[in-house]
Amino acid sequence: MESTPRLALPYLLPNQAQKHLTVNESLQALDVMTGLSARSRTQSAQPVAPDQGDAYILPARKTGPHWANFTANNIAAFVDETWIELPPA
């Protein structure tokens, strides 16, 4: 098993290079999922200037350079100046 069963957080593996990236990815996901407060579940256009930590539940018809490639009903969060996608647990 390479990830946790409930939140699918990646485990550090013995021979893994750049372990800090895996830890940071897990911390980002934990931060979003445990403190989740979605700004909207109906906004379809990706915000042009989101604030750090903004999170949205993605509707079916979404637009934007990142959101268009994300899956409907997943969570899009703006973390460390980029969008990350997380499936709801």
Side-chain angles (χ1 to χ4, degrees), residues 13-46:
L13 302 176
N15 296 328
Q16 182 179 8
Q18 297 187 339
K19 293 179 186 201
H20 67 285
L21 296 177
T22 300
V23 171
N24 289 344
E25 181 182 314
S26 291
L27 290 173
Q28 288 173 340
L30 276 173
D31 185 63
V32 171
M33 297 303 281
T34 59
L36 185 59
S37 175
R39 295 186 54 84
S40 175
R41 66 177 304 129
T42 58
Q43 180 171 332
S44 60
Q46 178 181 318

Side-chain angles (χ1 to χ4, degrees), residues 6-86:
R6 295 191 66 196
L7 294 178
L9 301 174
Y11 285 131
L12 292 177
L13 302 176
N15 296 328
Q16 182 179 8
Q18 297 187 339
K19 293 179 186 201
H20 67 285
L21 296 177
T22 300
V23 171
N24 289 344
E25 181 182 314
S26 291
L27 290 173
Q28 288 173 340
L30 276 173
D31 185 63
V32 171
M33 297 303 281
T34 59
L36 185 59
S37 175
R39 295 186 54 84
S40 175
R41 66 177 304 129
T42 58
Q43 180 171 332
S44 60
Q46 178 181 318
V48 176
D51 289 328
Q52 202 55 251
D54 280 356
Y56 297 82
I57 300 170
L58 296 170
R61 292 188 176 105
K62 62 219 168 313
T63 61
H66 292 93
W67 283 18
N69 297 318
F70 289 171
T71 303
N73 298 313
N74 277 2
I75 298 160
F78 192 71
V79 180
D80 294 335
E81 305 300 321
T82 192
W83 287 100
I84 62 171
E85 178 184 20
L86 300 166

